[in-house]
Amino acid sequence: MSDSPAANSPAPEVPAKTMEQIVALCRRRGFVFQSSEIYGGINGFWDYGPLGTELKRNLKNAWWQDVVQRELIGPHGEPIDVVGLDCTIIMNPKVWEASGHVGGFSDPMVDCRETKQRYRADHLVVLGAVEAGARLWAFVEGDDAGRAKAIKGICKYEKRDALDAARHIVRPYPTVPADERARIVGPDATEVGTLTEPRQFNLMFKTLVGAVEDPGNYSYLRPETAQGIFVNFQNVMDSTRVKIPFGIAQIGKAFRNEVTPRNFTFRSREFEQMEIEFFIHPSEAATWYAWWRDWRFSWWQSIGLTSANLQLREHDRDELAHYAKEGAGTSDIEYRFPFTAPGYGELEGVAHRSDFDLRAHATASGKNDKAKHFDQARNERYFPHVIEPSAGADRGTLALLCEAYTPDPSRPSGVFMKFNPRMAPVKAGIFPLVNKDGMPEIGEKLFRTLRKKHVVEFDEKQSIGKRYARMDEAGTPFCITIDSESLTAQTVTVRHRDTQQQEKLAIDAVPAWLDAHIGTDS
Ligand code: ATP
Protein backbone atom coordinates (compact mmCIF):
# COMPACT_ATOMS: atom_id res chain seq x y z
CA MET A 1 0.00 0.00 0.00
CA SER A 2 1.18 3.48 -0.67
CA ASP A 3 2.67 5.49 2.19
CA SER A 4 0.82 8.59 1.20
CA PRO A 5 -2.41 10.37 2.08
CA ALA A 6 -5.49 8.44 1.04
CA ALA A 7 -7.98 10.59 -0.80
CA ASN A 8 -11.07 9.37 1.01
CA SER A 9 -9.74 8.93 4.56
CA PRO A 10 -11.60 10.42 7.51
CA ALA A 11 -10.99 14.06 8.39
CA PRO A 12 -7.50 14.57 9.82
CA GLU A 13 -6.97 14.72 13.54
CA VAL A 14 -4.81 17.77 14.10
CA PRO A 15 -1.40 16.15 14.63
CA ALA A 16 0.01 17.35 17.94
CA LYS A 17 3.40 16.00 16.90
CA THR A 18 5.39 16.41 13.74
CA MET A 19 7.83 14.07 12.08
CA GLU A 20 10.56 16.72 12.41
CA GLN A 21 10.17 16.65 16.20
CA ILE A 22 10.25 12.86 16.32
CA VAL A 23 13.29 12.60 14.03
CA ALA A 24 15.10 15.26 16.10
CA LEU A 25 14.44 13.38 19.34
CA CYS A 26 15.53 10.10 17.73
CA ARG A 27 18.85 11.62 16.77
CA ARG A 28 19.41 13.60 19.97
CA ARG A 29 18.69 10.68 22.30
CA GLY A 30 20.25 7.93 20.21
CA PHE A 31 17.26 6.07 18.87
CA VAL A 32 18.07 6.35 15.16
CA PHE A 33 21.03 7.82 13.24
CA GLN A 34 21.63 8.24 9.56
CA SER A 35 23.89 5.45 8.29
CA SER A 36 27.48 6.63 7.61
CA GLU A 37 26.46 10.09 8.76
CA ILE A 38 30.01 11.47 8.95
CA TYR A 39 30.31 10.90 5.19
CA GLY A 40 27.03 12.60 4.42
CA GLY A 41 24.88 9.49 4.93
CA ILE A 42 23.53 7.12 2.30
CA ASN A 43 19.96 7.37 1.14
CA GLY A 44 17.64 4.68 2.46
CA PHE A 45 19.93 3.29 5.19
CA TRP A 46 19.59 3.91 8.94
CA ASP A 47 21.42 2.88 12.10
CA TYR A 48 19.89 2.35 15.52
CA GLY A 49 21.61 3.98 18.48
CA PRO A 50 21.70 2.49 22.00
CA LEU A 51 18.06 3.31 22.87
CA GLY A 52 16.73 2.41 19.41
CA THR A 53 18.57 -0.91 19.45
CA GLU A 54 16.90 -1.89 22.74
CA LEU A 55 13.51 -0.75 21.46
CA LYS A 56 13.74 -2.71 18.22
CA ARG A 57 15.11 -5.73 20.05
CA ASN A 58 12.18 -5.61 22.49
CA LEU A 59 9.78 -5.55 19.54
CA LYS A 60 11.46 -8.52 17.85
CA ASN A 61 11.74 -10.45 21.13
CA ALA A 62 8.06 -9.89 21.89
CA TRP A 63 7.15 -11.12 18.41
CA TRP A 64 9.34 -14.24 18.77
CA GLN A 65 8.05 -15.00 22.26
CA ASP A 66 4.41 -14.57 21.32
CA VAL A 67 4.60 -16.30 17.92
CA VAL A 68 7.10 -19.12 18.51
CA GLN A 69 7.76 -19.68 22.19
CA ARG A 70 4.51 -19.16 24.07
CA GLU A 71 1.34 -21.15 23.77
CA LEU A 72 -0.87 -19.77 21.05
CA ILE A 73 -4.41 -21.10 20.83
CA GLY A 74 -5.69 -21.36 17.26
CA PRO A 75 -9.19 -21.06 15.79
CA HIS A 76 -10.11 -24.63 16.75
CA GLY A 77 -9.27 -24.06 20.43
CA GLU A 78 -6.03 -26.07 20.22
CA PRO A 79 -2.45 -24.87 20.73
CA ILE A 80 -0.72 -24.30 17.40
CA ASP A 81 2.85 -25.11 16.39
CA VAL A 82 5.16 -22.44 15.03
CA VAL A 83 8.86 -23.27 14.76
CA GLY A 84 11.80 -20.97 14.02
CA LEU A 85 14.21 -20.75 11.10
CA ASP A 86 17.26 -18.63 10.33
CA CYS A 87 18.21 -18.63 6.64
CA THR A 88 20.97 -16.96 4.68
CA ILE A 89 20.53 -13.61 3.01
CA ILE A 90 22.19 -14.81 -0.19
CA MET A 91 20.67 -17.93 -1.72
CA ASN A 92 20.95 -19.84 -4.96
CA PRO A 93 19.65 -17.38 -7.61
CA LYS A 94 17.28 -20.09 -8.86
CA VAL A 95 15.20 -19.38 -5.73
CA TRP A 96 14.45 -15.90 -7.06
CA GLU A 97 13.75 -17.11 -10.57
CA ALA A 98 11.22 -19.65 -9.29
CA SER A 99 9.59 -17.22 -6.87
CA GLY A 100 8.98 -14.71 -9.67
CA HIS A 101 11.23 -12.02 -8.21
CA VAL A 102 13.72 -11.97 -11.08
CA GLY A 103 10.94 -11.49 -13.62
CA GLY A 104 8.45 -9.46 -11.68
CA PHE A 105 9.74 -7.78 -8.51
CA SER A 106 9.79 -4.31 -9.92
CA ASP A 107 8.33 -0.86 -9.56
CA PRO A 108 7.51 1.58 -12.35
CA MET A 109 10.19 4.24 -12.32
CA VAL A 110 10.53 7.64 -13.95
CA ASP A 111 13.85 9.44 -14.50
CA CYS A 112 14.28 13.18 -14.85
CA ARG A 113 16.65 14.01 -17.73
CA GLU A 114 17.35 17.46 -16.30
CA THR A 115 18.11 16.66 -12.65
CA LYS A 116 19.04 12.95 -12.97
CA GLN A 117 16.62 12.22 -10.11
CA ARG A 118 14.58 9.02 -10.12
CA TYR A 119 11.01 8.66 -8.84
CA ARG A 120 8.46 5.91 -8.43
CA ALA A 121 5.74 6.65 -10.98
CA ASP A 122 3.05 5.55 -8.55
CA HIS A 123 4.38 7.95 -5.90
CA LEU A 124 4.16 11.00 -8.18
CA VAL A 125 1.14 13.27 -8.50
CA VAL A 126 0.63 16.25 -10.77
CA LEU A 127 -1.02 19.53 -9.94
CA GLY A 128 -2.45 21.74 -12.65
CA ALA A 129 -5.50 23.00 -14.52
CA VAL A 130 -8.04 20.44 -15.72
CA GLU A 131 -8.12 21.73 -19.32
CA ALA A 132 -6.24 19.72 -21.92
CA GLY A 133 -3.01 21.44 -22.84
CA ALA A 134 -2.43 23.02 -19.42
CA ARG A 135 1.04 22.99 -17.90
CA LEU A 136 1.31 20.52 -14.99
CA TRP A 137 3.69 20.32 -12.03
CA ALA A 138 4.72 16.98 -10.58
CA PHE A 139 5.72 16.29 -6.99
CA VAL A 140 6.07 13.28 -4.70
CA GLU A 141 2.75 12.66 -2.97
CA GLY A 142 2.83 13.86 0.62
CA ASP A 143 5.83 16.16 0.04
CA ASP A 144 4.64 19.55 1.29
CA ALA A 145 7.66 21.43 -0.08
CA GLY A 146 7.09 19.86 -3.52
CA ARG A 147 3.47 20.88 -3.42
CA ALA A 148 4.39 24.44 -2.44
CA LYS A 149 6.85 24.61 -5.37
CA ALA A 150 4.11 23.39 -7.73
CA ILE A 151 1.65 26.02 -6.48
CA LYS A 152 4.27 28.73 -6.90
CA GLY A 153 5.02 27.49 -10.42
CA ILE A 154 1.36 27.57 -11.46
CA CYS A 155 0.76 31.05 -9.99
CA LYS A 156 3.80 32.44 -11.77
CA TYR A 157 3.03 30.73 -15.09
CA GLU A 158 -0.66 31.62 -15.10
CA LYS A 159 -0.04 35.06 -13.53
CA ARG A 160 -2.37 34.60 -10.60
CA ASP A 161 -2.17 34.93 -6.81
CA ALA A 162 -3.73 31.65 -5.75
CA LEU A 163 -5.04 28.39 -7.15
CA ASP A 164 -8.59 28.12 -8.41
CA ALA A 165 -10.02 25.16 -6.48
CA ALA A 166 -12.49 24.39 -9.27
CA ARG A 167 -9.80 24.19 -11.99
CA HIS A 168 -6.53 23.20 -10.37
CA ILE A 169 -6.57 19.60 -9.26
CA VAL A 170 -4.12 16.93 -8.09
CA ARG A 171 -4.03 13.72 -10.12
CA PRO A 172 -1.91 10.56 -9.83
CA TYR A 173 0.90 10.78 -12.39
CA PRO A 174 0.09 7.39 -14.02
CA THR A 175 -3.41 8.68 -14.91
CA VAL A 176 -2.01 11.51 -17.06
CA PRO A 177 -2.28 10.39 -20.72
CA ALA A 178 1.12 9.80 -22.36
CA ASP A 179 0.62 12.61 -24.90
CA GLU A 180 0.10 15.15 -22.08
CA ARG A 181 3.26 14.20 -20.18
CA ALA A 182 5.40 16.52 -22.30
CA ARG A 183 3.74 19.41 -20.45
CA ILE A 184 4.81 18.25 -16.98
CA VAL A 185 7.52 20.00 -14.97
CA GLY A 186 9.34 17.34 -12.90
CA PRO A 187 9.54 17.64 -9.09
CA ASP A 188 13.03 19.13 -9.03
CA ALA A 189 13.16 20.38 -12.63
CA THR A 190 12.78 23.85 -14.12
CA GLU A 191 11.86 22.77 -17.68
CA VAL A 192 8.81 20.89 -18.98
CA GLY A 193 8.99 17.42 -20.52
CA THR A 194 12.11 16.16 -18.77
CA LEU A 195 10.52 13.07 -17.19
CA THR A 196 11.02 9.78 -19.04
CA GLU A 197 8.24 7.28 -19.63
CA PRO A 198 7.79 4.91 -16.64
CA ARG A 199 10.04 1.83 -16.88
CA GLN A 200 10.09 -1.25 -14.71
CA PHE A 201 13.02 -1.30 -12.28
CA ASN A 202 13.94 -4.51 -10.47
CA LEU A 203 14.25 -3.89 -6.74
CA MET A 204 16.69 -6.70 -5.95
CA PHE A 205 20.32 -5.86 -5.10
CA LYS A 206 22.64 -7.97 -7.24
CA THR A 207 25.90 -9.23 -5.80
CA LEU A 208 28.89 -11.24 -6.98
CA VAL A 209 29.49 -14.55 -5.18
CA GLY A 210 33.16 -15.59 -5.40
CA ALA A 211 36.03 -13.92 -7.16
CA VAL A 212 35.18 -14.52 -10.81
CA GLU A 213 33.03 -11.93 -12.58
CA ASP A 214 30.98 -14.42 -14.52
CA PRO A 215 27.25 -13.93 -15.14
CA GLY A 216 26.65 -17.33 -13.54
CA ASN A 217 28.23 -16.13 -10.28
CA TYR A 218 25.75 -13.38 -9.53
CA SER A 219 23.08 -13.71 -6.91
CA TYR A 220 20.83 -11.36 -4.98
CA LEU A 221 20.38 -10.03 -1.47
CA ARG A 222 17.01 -11.45 -0.44
CA PRO A 223 14.13 -8.97 -0.87
CA GLU A 224 12.02 -10.93 1.65
CA THR A 225 12.69 -13.63 4.23
CA ALA A 226 9.72 -15.75 3.09
CA GLN A 227 11.41 -17.67 0.27
CA GLY A 228 14.01 -19.13 2.64
CA ILE A 229 11.11 -20.64 4.55
CA PHE A 230 9.47 -22.13 1.46
CA VAL A 231 12.66 -23.78 0.21
CA ASN A 232 13.21 -25.29 3.69
CA PHE A 233 9.63 -26.52 4.10
CA GLN A 234 10.54 -30.17 3.49
CA ASN A 235 13.67 -29.96 5.68
CA VAL A 236 11.56 -28.76 8.59
CA MET A 237 8.90 -31.44 7.98
CA ASP A 238 11.60 -34.15 7.87
CA SER A 239 13.55 -32.99 10.93
CA THR A 240 10.73 -32.18 13.39
CA ARG A 241 7.40 -33.63 14.44
CA VAL A 242 5.28 -30.77 13.12
CA LYS A 243 2.11 -31.67 11.25
CA ILE A 244 -0.17 -29.53 9.11
CA PRO A 245 -1.39 -27.04 10.27
CA PHE A 246 1.85 -25.48 11.51
CA GLY A 247 3.97 -22.42 10.92
CA ILE A 248 7.60 -21.48 10.32
CA ALA A 249 8.75 -18.08 11.59
CA GLN A 250 11.81 -16.06 10.72
CA ILE A 251 13.20 -12.65 11.63
CA GLY A 252 15.89 -11.23 9.39
CA LYS A 253 17.22 -8.58 7.09
CA ALA A 254 15.72 -7.94 3.68
CA PHE A 255 16.99 -5.60 0.99
CA ARG A 256 15.11 -3.67 -1.67
CA ASN A 257 16.67 -1.10 -3.93
CA GLU A 258 13.69 1.22 -3.43
CA VAL A 259 13.44 3.91 -6.10
CA THR A 260 12.43 6.58 -3.63
CA PRO A 261 13.41 5.70 -0.07
CA ARG A 262 11.72 8.21 2.18
CA ASN A 263 9.79 8.98 5.31
CA PHE A 264 12.62 8.24 7.74
CA THR A 265 12.95 4.47 8.26
CA PHE A 266 9.51 3.71 6.76
CA ARG A 267 10.83 3.01 3.26
CA SER A 268 14.44 1.90 3.61
CA ARG A 269 16.69 -0.09 1.30
CA GLU A 270 17.84 -2.37 4.12
CA PHE A 271 15.27 -3.39 6.70
CA GLU A 272 14.18 -6.26 8.87
CA GLN A 273 11.14 -8.47 8.45
CA MET A 274 9.31 -10.73 10.89
CA GLU A 275 7.53 -13.32 8.77
CA ILE A 276 5.39 -16.37 9.43
CA GLU A 277 4.45 -18.88 6.75
CA PHE A 278 1.59 -20.93 8.14
CA PHE A 279 0.91 -24.17 6.23
CA ILE A 280 -2.65 -25.48 6.10
CA HIS A 281 -5.02 -27.76 4.23
CA PRO A 282 -6.51 -25.73 1.31
CA SER A 283 -10.07 -26.16 2.62
CA GLU A 284 -9.15 -24.31 5.84
CA ALA A 285 -7.78 -21.15 4.21
CA ALA A 286 -10.65 -18.84 5.12
CA THR A 287 -10.64 -19.90 8.80
CA TRP A 288 -6.89 -19.52 9.30
CA TYR A 289 -6.70 -16.32 7.30
CA ALA A 290 -9.33 -14.62 9.46
CA TRP A 291 -7.74 -15.95 12.64
CA TRP A 292 -4.21 -14.73 11.81
CA ARG A 293 -5.48 -11.37 10.58
CA ASP A 294 -7.38 -10.72 13.80
CA TRP A 295 -4.70 -12.09 16.12
CA ARG A 296 -1.95 -10.06 14.46
CA PHE A 297 -4.05 -6.90 14.75
CA SER A 298 -4.64 -7.47 18.46
CA TRP A 299 -0.93 -8.26 18.94
CA TRP A 300 0.09 -4.81 17.71
CA GLN A 301 -2.41 -3.35 20.16
CA SER A 302 -0.98 -5.48 22.97
CA ILE A 303 2.48 -3.94 22.57
CA GLY A 304 1.20 -0.40 22.74
CA LEU A 305 -0.38 0.70 19.44
CA THR A 306 -3.66 1.29 21.19
CA SER A 307 -4.78 4.51 19.55
CA ALA A 308 -7.15 5.01 16.65
CA ASN A 309 -4.02 5.37 14.51
CA LEU A 310 -3.98 1.58 14.02
CA GLN A 311 -6.37 0.10 11.50
CA LEU A 312 -7.06 -3.13 9.65
CA ARG A 313 -7.74 -2.76 5.95
CA GLU A 314 -9.03 -5.62 3.84
CA HIS A 315 -7.79 -5.39 0.24
CA ASP A 316 -10.24 -4.97 -2.61
CA ARG A 317 -10.30 -7.88 -5.05
CA ASP A 318 -8.45 -5.88 -7.73
CA GLU A 319 -5.57 -5.10 -5.34
CA LEU A 320 -4.78 -8.74 -4.63
CA ALA A 321 -1.51 -10.34 -5.70
CA HIS A 322 -1.76 -12.79 -8.59
CA TYR A 323 -1.57 -15.85 -6.29
CA ALA A 324 -4.15 -14.54 -3.82
CA LYS A 325 -6.94 -13.79 -6.29
CA GLU A 326 -8.88 -16.97 -5.70
CA GLY A 327 -8.02 -17.25 -2.04
CA ALA A 328 -9.26 -16.12 1.30
CA GLY A 329 -7.96 -12.59 0.96
CA THR A 330 -5.28 -10.12 1.94
CA SER A 331 -5.34 -7.40 4.52
CA ASP A 332 -2.95 -4.77 5.75
CA ILE A 333 -2.44 -3.72 9.32
CA GLU A 334 -1.79 -0.03 8.94
CA TYR A 335 -0.65 2.85 11.08
CA ARG A 336 -1.42 6.52 10.62
CA PHE A 337 2.09 7.99 10.74
CA PRO A 338 2.50 11.78 10.92
CA PHE A 339 3.79 11.69 7.32
CA THR A 340 0.89 9.62 5.97
CA ALA A 341 -1.90 11.37 7.89
CA PRO A 342 -4.75 11.51 7.17
CA GLY A 343 -3.83 8.32 5.27
CA TYR A 344 -2.14 5.18 6.62
CA GLY A 345 1.03 3.20 5.89
CA GLU A 346 1.45 -0.59 5.99
CA LEU A 347 3.01 -2.20 9.06
CA GLU A 348 2.17 -5.78 8.23
CA GLY A 349 0.45 -7.65 5.43
CA VAL A 350 -1.57 -10.79 6.10
CA ALA A 351 -2.06 -12.76 2.88
CA HIS A 352 -3.39 -16.06 1.68
CA ARG A 353 -0.57 -17.07 -0.69
CA SER A 354 -2.35 -20.28 -1.76
CA ASP A 355 0.14 -23.03 -2.80
CA PHE A 356 1.90 -20.67 -5.21
CA ASP A 357 5.39 -20.75 -3.67
CA LEU A 358 5.64 -24.44 -2.71
CA ARG A 359 4.36 -25.43 -6.14
CA ALA A 360 6.75 -23.02 -7.93
CA HIS A 361 9.80 -24.37 -6.07
CA ALA A 362 8.65 -27.96 -6.53
CA THR A 363 8.45 -27.45 -10.27
CA ALA A 364 11.64 -25.41 -10.65
CA SER A 365 13.77 -27.72 -8.49
CA GLY A 366 12.35 -30.86 -10.07
CA LYS A 367 11.47 -32.17 -6.57
CA ASN A 368 7.78 -32.21 -7.31
CA ASP A 369 6.79 -35.44 -5.64
CA LYS A 370 8.51 -34.75 -2.38
CA ALA A 371 7.04 -31.31 -2.00
CA LYS A 372 3.50 -32.62 -2.33
CA HIS A 373 2.71 -33.26 1.27
CA PHE A 374 1.15 -36.52 2.42
CA ASP A 375 -1.34 -35.83 5.18
CA GLN A 376 -1.72 -39.03 7.17
CA ALA A 377 -4.71 -37.83 9.16
CA ARG A 378 -6.63 -37.08 5.96
CA ASN A 379 -5.03 -39.84 3.88
CA GLU A 380 -4.51 -37.25 1.17
CA ARG A 381 -1.56 -35.89 -0.85
CA TYR A 382 -1.62 -32.16 -1.60
CA PHE A 383 0.34 -28.92 -1.76
CA PRO A 384 -0.39 -27.08 1.50
CA HIS A 385 -1.76 -23.57 1.26
CA VAL A 386 -0.08 -20.75 3.11
CA ILE A 387 -1.30 -17.88 5.25
CA GLU A 388 1.49 -15.32 5.57
CA PRO A 389 1.57 -12.61 8.24
CA SER A 390 4.56 -10.50 7.14
CA ALA A 391 5.58 -7.58 9.35
CA GLY A 392 8.35 -5.00 9.25
CA ALA A 393 10.48 -4.61 12.38
CA ASP A 394 11.63 -1.14 11.35
CA ARG A 395 8.15 0.09 10.48
CA GLY A 396 6.95 -1.42 13.76
CA THR A 397 9.68 0.40 15.67
CA LEU A 398 8.82 3.62 13.87
CA ALA A 399 5.14 3.22 14.77
CA LEU A 400 6.11 2.65 18.42
CA LEU A 401 8.20 5.85 18.33
CA CYS A 402 5.42 7.89 16.72
CA GLU A 403 2.78 6.52 19.08
CA ALA A 404 4.95 7.10 22.17
CA TYR A 405 5.94 10.70 21.36
CA THR A 406 3.81 12.78 23.75
CA PRO A 407 4.34 16.53 23.88
CA ASP A 408 3.88 17.90 27.41
CA PRO A 409 4.80 21.57 27.84
CA SER A 410 4.52 21.22 31.63
CA ARG A 411 7.62 19.00 31.80
CA PRO A 412 11.21 20.28 31.62
CA SER A 413 11.83 17.99 28.63
CA GLY A 414 8.66 19.28 26.90
CA VAL A 415 7.95 15.72 25.80
CA PHE A 416 7.91 12.18 27.07
CA MET A 417 7.96 8.84 25.28
CA LYS A 418 5.00 6.82 26.43
CA PHE A 419 6.22 3.33 25.54
CA ASN A 420 4.40 0.25 26.74
CA PRO A 421 6.69 -0.99 29.59
CA ARG A 422 7.40 -4.23 27.69
CA MET A 423 8.77 -2.16 24.77
CA ALA A 424 10.58 0.55 26.79
CA PRO A 425 14.34 0.48 26.06
CA VAL A 426 15.20 1.21 29.71
CA LYS A 427 12.83 -0.17 32.34
CA ALA A 428 13.94 1.90 35.33
CA GLY A 429 16.34 4.67 36.28
CA ILE A 430 17.99 4.45 39.70
CA PHE A 431 19.03 7.74 41.23
CA PRO A 432 20.69 8.59 44.54
CA LEU A 433 19.12 11.91 45.52
CA VAL A 434 22.50 13.25 46.61
CA ASN A 435 26.00 11.87 46.26
CA LYS A 436 26.64 11.33 49.95
CA ASP A 437 25.36 9.69 53.12
CA GLY A 438 25.61 6.23 51.60
CA MET A 439 22.89 6.87 49.03
CA PRO A 440 25.09 6.06 45.98
CA GLU A 441 26.08 2.76 47.55
CA ILE A 442 22.46 1.74 48.19
CA GLY A 443 21.56 2.81 44.63
CA GLU A 444 24.40 0.86 43.06
CA LYS A 445 23.46 -2.26 44.99
CA LEU A 446 19.86 -2.01 43.79
CA PHE A 447 21.09 -1.31 40.25
CA ARG A 448 23.23 -4.45 40.25
CA THR A 449 20.30 -6.55 41.48
CA LEU A 450 17.82 -5.20 38.93
CA ARG A 451 20.13 -5.40 35.92
CA LYS A 452 20.29 -9.18 36.28
CA LYS A 453 16.86 -9.22 34.64
CA HIS A 454 16.19 -5.81 33.15
CA VAL A 455 17.85 -2.98 31.29
CA VAL A 456 18.13 -0.31 33.99
CA GLU A 457 20.27 2.81 34.31
CA PHE A 458 22.14 4.21 37.28
CA ASP A 459 22.53 7.98 37.16
CA GLU A 460 24.01 10.18 39.85
CA LYS A 461 24.75 13.27 37.76
CA GLN A 462 22.84 16.58 37.71
CA SER A 463 19.68 17.56 39.55
CA ILE A 464 16.89 15.05 40.06
CA GLY A 465 14.64 17.11 37.74
CA LYS A 466 17.18 16.82 34.90
CA ARG A 467 17.52 13.10 35.49
CA TYR A 468 13.72 12.69 35.28
CA ALA A 469 13.74 14.71 32.06
CA ARG A 470 16.36 12.44 30.45
CA MET A 471 14.35 9.37 31.40
CA ASP A 472 11.13 10.94 30.09
CA GLU A 473 12.76 11.37 26.68
CA ALA A 474 14.05 7.81 26.76
CA GLY A 475 10.57 6.57 27.68
CA THR A 476 11.67 4.92 30.95
CA PRO A 477 8.47 4.00 32.78
CA PHE A 478 9.85 4.15 36.35
CA CYS A 479 12.45 6.23 38.19
CA ILE A 480 13.58 4.95 41.57
CA THR A 481 15.13 7.50 43.89
CA ILE A 482 17.25 6.68 46.92
CA ASP A 483 16.54 9.42 49.47
CA SER A 484 17.02 10.07 53.17
CA GLU A 485 14.27 7.59 54.04
CA SER A 486 16.23 4.89 52.27
CA LEU A 487 18.74 5.28 55.10
CA THR A 488 16.25 5.41 57.95
CA ALA A 489 13.25 3.36 56.77
CA GLN A 490 14.77 1.29 53.91
CA THR A 491 12.31 2.69 51.36
CA VAL A 492 12.71 4.26 47.91
CA THR A 493 10.52 6.70 45.99
CA VAL A 494 9.19 5.42 42.68
CA ARG A 495 8.09 8.00 40.14
CA HIS A 496 5.70 6.92 37.38
CA ARG A 497 6.54 8.37 33.96
CA ASP A 498 3.01 8.94 32.64
CA THR A 499 1.31 10.41 35.70
CA GLN A 500 4.47 11.76 37.39
CA GLN A 501 2.99 10.45 40.62
CA GLN A 502 5.25 9.05 43.28
CA GLU A 503 4.93 6.18 45.70
CA LYS A 504 7.07 4.73 48.46
CA LEU A 505 8.27 1.14 48.29
CA ALA A 506 10.43 -0.97 50.57
CA ILE A 507 13.83 -1.42 48.90
CA ASP A 508 13.56 -5.18 49.20
CA ALA A 509 10.20 -5.17 47.42
CA VAL A 510 11.53 -3.34 44.35
CA PRO A 511 12.72 -6.35 42.25
CA ALA A 512 9.36 -8.17 42.48
CA TRP A 513 7.47 -4.90 41.99
CA LEU A 514 9.42 -4.15 38.81
CA ASP A 515 8.92 -7.69 37.48
CA ALA A 516 5.18 -7.33 37.99
CA HIS A 517 5.05 -3.95 36.29
CA ILE A 518 7.28 -4.86 33.33
CA GLY A 519 6.86 -8.59 32.92
CA THR A 520 9.97 -10.60 33.84
CA ASP A 521 10.25 -11.91 30.30
CA SER A 522 10.32 -8.53 28.59
P1 ATP B 1 5.01 -1.30 0.39
O1 ATP B 1 3.76 -1.44 -0.43
O2 ATP B 1 4.93 -0.28 1.47
O3 ATP B 1 6.25 -1.20 -0.45
P2 ATP B 1 5.00 -4.13 0.50
O4 ATP B 1 3.54 -4.45 0.40
O5 ATP B 1 5.87 -4.26 -0.69
O6 ATP B 1 5.19 -2.67 1.17
P3 ATP B 1 5.65 -6.57 1.75
O7 ATP B 1 6.36 -7.09 0.58
O8 ATP B 1 4.29 -7.08 2.07
O9 ATP B 1 5.60 -4.97 1.69
O10 ATP B 1 6.62 -6.70 3.02
C1 ATP B 1 6.16 -7.01 4.31
C2 ATP B 1 6.52 -5.93 5.31
O11 ATP B 1 7.90 -5.58 5.19
C3 ATP B 1 5.78 -4.62 5.12
O12 ATP B 1 4.52 -4.65 5.74
C4 ATP B 1 6.70 -3.64 5.78
O13 ATP B 1 6.47 -3.59 7.18
C5 ATP B 1 8.08 -4.22 5.52
N1 ATP B 1 8.72 -3.49 4.40
C6 ATP B 1 8.55 -3.71 3.09
N2 ATP B 1 9.30 -2.86 2.37
C7 ATP B 1 9.96 -2.08 3.26
C8 ATP B 1 10.91 -1.02 3.14
N3 ATP B 1 11.35 -0.60 1.96
N4 ATP B 1 11.38 -0.44 4.28
C9 ATP B 1 10.97 -0.88 5.50
N5 ATP B 1 10.09 -1.87 5.67
C10 ATP B 1 9.58 -2.48 4.57
Side-chain angles (χ1 to χ4, degrees), residues 188-373:
D188 303 287
T190 52
E191 306 284 321
V192 288
T194 62
L195 295 180
T196 63
E197 282 302 298
R199 279 174 298 167
Q200 294 302 320
F201 171 76
N202 195 295
L203 297 185
M204 282 197 295
F205 281 97
K206 226 177 187 180
T207 188
L208 182 66
V209 180
V212 184
E213 287 229 20
D214 181 272
N217 286 347
Y218 279 96
S219 189
Y220 305 93
L221 305 189
R222 65 180 175 200
E224 60 176 33
T225 60
Q227 296 305 323
I229 297 180
F230 294 124
V231 299
N232 275 294
F233 169 75
Q234 199 57 45
N235 287 340
V236 173
M237 288 294 295
D238 292 347
S239 57
T240 66
R241 287 175 186 267
V242 287
K243 284 209 258 344
I244 304 262
F246 78 97
I248 304 179
Q250 172 161 228
I251 299 180
K253 290 266 187 177
F255 301 80
R256 296 184 188 177
N257 201 359
E258 297 279 358
V259 180
T260 38
R262 63 193 172 127
N263 290 335
F264 203 25
T265 57
F266 181 87
R267 187 169 299 286
S268 309
R269 288 180 165 141
E270 174 174 344
F271 55 96
E272 242 174 317
Q273 291 186 311
M274 309 185 290
E275 294 198 296
I276 306 160
E277 307 303 326
F278 197 77
F279 301 94
I280 52 170
H281 187 269
S283 66
E284 294 236 278
T287 307
W288 281 104
Y289 166 71
W291 184 82
W292 275 109
R293 179 196 60 198
D294 297 345
W295 185 71
R296 291 302 306 145
F297 184 75
S298 63
W299 184 82
W300 285 107
Q301 291 177 312
S302 78
I303 59 157
L305 300 185
T306 49
S307 71
N309 288 330
L310 191 72
Q311 78 165 15
L312 187 65
R313 189 179 67 87
E314 196 81 38
H315 281 207
D316 297 332
R317 276 268 158 229
D318 57 1
E319 270 184 272
L320 295 182
H322 51 296
Y323 49 76
K325 285 253 188 286
E326 307 307 321
T330 298
S331 40
D332 287 342
I333 299 169
E334 301 180 333
Y335 188 76
R336 183 162 47 186
F337 294 92
F339 51 80
T340 59
Y344 292 77
E346 176 183 326
L347 276 188
E348 170 162 356
V350 183
H352 173 208
R353 289 181 77 118
S354 72
D355 59 4
F356 176 82
D357 305 271
L358 287 184
R359 205 180 263 279
H361 289 302
T363 307
S365 66
K367 305 229 161 76
N368 216 340
D369 284 350
K370 213 163 179 231
K372 218 169 186 183
H373 167 76

Side-chain angles (χ1 to χ4, degrees), residues 51-177:
L51 287 178
T53 303
E54 292 294 340
L55 177 65
K56 186 172 165 190
R57 189 172 281 262
N58 289 342
L59 173 71
K60 290 189 292 180
N61 285 350
W63 186 91
W64 194 260
Q65 280 162 357
D66 295 348
V67 167
V68 180
Q69 296 176 332
R70 288 184 179 164
E71 185 177 74
L72 194 54
I73 303 293
H76 305 301
E78 313 247 318
I80 64 173
D81 268 337
V82 181
V83 293
L85 195 69
D86 191 353
C87 304
T88 58
I89 285 167
I90 296 175
M91 293 191 269
N92 189 315
K94 287 181 184 153
V95 170
W96 306 109
E97 284 160 25
S99 68
H101 285 84
V102 171
F105 192 60
S106 55
D107 279 334
M109 148 220 111
V110 166
D111 285 313
C112 176
R113 292 189 202 91
E114 181 187 331
T115 64
K116 309 293 174 230
Q117 295 284 336
R118 176 169 282 182
Y119 311 96
R120 248 181 70 180
D122 56 336
H123 285 172
L124 285 183
V125 291
V126 296
L127 177 63
V130 280
E131 304 92 68
R135 183 175 283 205
L136 304 169
W137 274 260
F139 59 94
V140 176
E141 199 176 12
D143 173 12
D144 293 337
R147 188 189 175 89
K149 176 178 171 271
I151 295 172
K152 211 168 149 195
I154 293 176
C155 291
K156 190 165 172 216
Y157 184 71
E158 296 185 11
K159 298 193 176 52
R160 49 190 311 130
D161 294 331
L163 297 189
D164 171 359
R167 281 182 57 240
H168 294 111
I169 57 163
V170 176
R171 282 178 279 166
Y173 175 82
T175 65
V176 179

